[in-house]
Amino acid sequence: MSKERRNLLLNIMGILVLFVILYLFNEYGTDYQIRILNNMAVFITLAVSYNLVNGICGILHLGPNAFITIGAYTSALLTMSAAEKQMTYIIVPLVWPLNVLHTPFVVSLLLGGLMAAVFAFAISFPVFRVRGDYLAIVTLGFGEVIRVLANALQGVTNGPLGLKGLVPYTNLWWSWGVAVLTIIAITKLINSSYGRAMKSIREDEIAARAMGIDPFKHLLMAFLISAFFCGVAGGLLAHLITTISPTLFTFFLTFNLLIIIVVGGLGSTTGAVIGAALFAWGGEALRIVERPTDLGFLKIPGIPGMRMVIFSIILMLVIIFARRGIMGRSEFSWDWLLSKLGWKEKGF
Amino acid sequence: MGDFFQLNDLVMQFGGLTAVKDFSIELQAGELVGLIGPNGAGKTTVFNMITGFLTPTSGQVRWQGEEITGFPVHKVTAQGIARTFQNIRLFTDLTVLENVMISFHQRIRTFFWEAMLGFPTYRREEKRIRESAMAFLQELGLAHLAKEKAGGLAYGQQRRLEIARALATRPKLLLLDEPAAGMNPQETNELAVLVRELRDKYALTIFLIEHDMKFVMGLCERIKVLDYGITIAEGTPAEIQSNQAVIKAYLGEPK
Ligand SMILES: Nc1ncnc2c1ncn2[C@@H]1O[C@H](COP(=O)(O)OP(=O)(O)OP(=O)(O)O)[C@@H](O)[C@H]1O
Ligand SMILES: [Mg+2]
């Protein structure tokens, strides 16, 4: 058996094991555990697609929250029934044709992703005219613009009131199904000639151009693909939380994603997955620090936002002491795992 | 007049500084021509104008009978003009093989979604690219380093990898910017042999910048000399060696 076939087989087995574990949690897990697992999957999708732009292309893009917002609203508007919409939009009625459109969940997710990609395309020309800090500022600004628009365009988004009572379609199968597909698709892209072209731009844009690479085309490609998956994840989030409003997806979310991919190792998909999993789990586990504590002799009042302080400290420590994060730019591979386990090559 | 490659009266001004003034040259297919001159003479600036990194203040770059002045860099490369860099610019964190594979990307026929979905059409193309890239590494004696990070190579090997990478874009015209810089005499000799071999094997036209006079004089059929952006001499190596203006430019005015 060739190494390629062996790895394919191990990949399939790995995914099967994952879904068996998910099945067990789905049957016997508590709501709390299931919520953490759903969050984990959505953050994995977000981090892996965000890493494509920031880690692989080496661009500091600070606007994924915009694409998540667009995906969330699009998807939510498409799954709400006409009657629900009429009840929700009490101040300004929802514009046609959104007021009558109604699609199945999976279609709403895809269209959420597509809509995010359309917006990404619309801003790509100003964004990729500049590089570095300027690009970061332009994308950051776009994130704010979308938040303001979500507030102001009442006939589309219902303004500050947001959308409530969405059907909680997002379950473990949807969230993890999307996460696994995202990981597979983006990993294949990164390891392809297109991914190499993106990395060459990150390494030395001048040399990349001299070797015939069109930077705009490839940065745009990464940006659109990343926006698409962020949009899909936004749709998942909307139907997980079941209530969305303009204040839900602020720069704060982008900042969290940045922490995840930097701690995981900028440029490593494996790192993004590990970072996202730790973040989703840690975010829940650390809720204790925001709760009032009574140690008998000492009463500590709960400090809201304390978790964020802890995450920020972790980020600073990583940047100062372990700049390459958990994984650096390395990726998980079966070869590595098998050799760690003392596997002998001749077994196959 | 042949219309293989022509530069007509190229001028490059940076603010008040005229880095290159009225630079003209015509190259015939298959020629091996040198461009020399003291530091800051404007040699690299000429290369930058040819490859699209700089748009000349005035003048024309003509290639195969068409004007390509001010084309974007990647389009110039697609036309069949490749270059190496004076201050080596490898993709240091990628492997030696990947560095060369990137040069094949401009001609890729499969789409990104074929790669993302793992289509056999894409996998066949990837395999073909890998094999062709390996062949170029073999050619330049770098095959045994294929899996090493490019940044970890010795200096002379990095210079060779720059050439392999440029060659893999399948150019007709190859521009080498100080290919022997930092090499020891033995490496320089090997490089001269290699450059001539590559020219013959790939039917290349080569235009090169170099400070190593022995290398240039031994290799080039024709040489152009720049000083403060102005062409002060051109001719065969023998003519250049005995040219008073050139000697003055390199050694300064006799006291
Ligand atoms: N992008 C630029 N902006 C401003 N000035 C420049 C630029 N590029 C080159 N110059 C100036 O133009 C002049 C010619 O530079 P160039 O790099 O072409 O010299 P060179 O002949 O290649 O020298 P060397 O042998 O040192 O490589 C120098 O004075 C340099 O400072
Ligand atoms: Mg130079």
Side-chain angles (χ1 to χ4, degrees), chain A residues 107-185:
Chain A
V107 177
S108 84
L109 287 182
L110 288 174
L111 289 176
L114 274 182
M115 190 57 88
V118 166
F119 272 85
F121 181 76
I123 65 158
S124 62
F125 289 83
V127 165
F128 292 120
R129 282 184 70 91
V130 290
R131 290 288 186 280
D133 305 349
Y134 298 100
L135 189 147
I137 292 165
V138 174
T139 50
L140 182 70
F142 179 67
E144 281 304 292
V145 168
I146 290 296
R147 194 176 59 84
V148 171
L149 285 181
N151 248 321
L153 293 179
Q154 296 201 355
V156 180
T157 63
N158 203 26
L161 293 177
L163 305 177
K164 292 192 181 67
L166 303 174
V167 183
Y169 285 118
T170 305
N171 53 26
L172 287 177
W173 311 122
W174 280 113
S175 63
W176 281 92
V178 168
V180 167
L181 287 179
T182 308
I183 293 171
I184 293 174

Side-chain angles (χ1 to χ4, degrees), chain A residues 193-194 203-204 210 218 329, chain B residues 77 89 93 105 110 122 126:
Chain A
S193 190
Y194 289 94
E203 295 289 307
D204 189 329
H218 291 90
R329 276 178 188 164
Chain B
T77 308
R89 284 184 171 277
D93 205 41
H105 185 69
T110 42
Y122 175 75
E126 171 83 8

Side-chain angles (χ1 to χ4, degrees), chain A residues 176-326:
Chain A
W176 281 92
V178 168
V180 167
L181 287 179
T182 308
I183 293 171
I184 293 174
I186 291 195
T187 302
K188 282 200 182 296
L189 180 74
I190 291 173
N191 292 332
S192 76
S193 190
Y194 289 94
R196 270 195 304 274
M198 292 166 191
K199 289 179 203 160
S200 75
I201 297 167
R202 172 189 76 194
E203 295 289 307
D204 189 329
E205 187 169 342
I206 288 180
R209 286 157 73 202
M211 298 310 129
I213 307 293
D214 179 353
F216 179 73
K217 181 178 155 190
H218 291 90
L219 294 179
L220 178 64
M221 186 184 287
F223 196 55
L224 296 193
I225 292 170
S226 177
F228 174 83
F229 285 109
C230 281
V232 173
L236 287 174
L237 268 182
H239 295 89
L240 184 63
I241 310 169
T242 69
T243 303
I244 57 173
S245 67
T247 51
L248 196 55
F249 312 110
T250 56
F251 176 70
F252 199 56
L253 181 54
T254 293
F255 183 59
N256 284 339
L257 288 175
L258 203 57
I259 292 180
I260 289 173
I261 62 174
V262 169
V263 170
L266 211 51
S268 165
T269 302
T270 312
V273 172
I274 295 174
L278 287 178
F279 178 86
W281 171 77
E284 289 295 333
L286 286 175
R287 263 181 208 282
I288 319 167
V289 301
E290 295 188 6
R291 229 174 271 150
T293 328
D294 188 351
L295 295 174
F297 58 93
L298 179 69
K299 280 196 173 72
I300 305 169
I303 308 166
M306 198 55 200
R307 283 182 300 165
M308 219 42 233
V309 173
I310 292 179
F311 285 133
S312 302
I313 290 173
I314 292 175
L315 177 69
M316 285 194 281
L317 290 178
V318 164
I319 287 176
I320 296 169
F321 295 111
R323 186 157 304 169
R324 292 173 61 81
I326 296 171

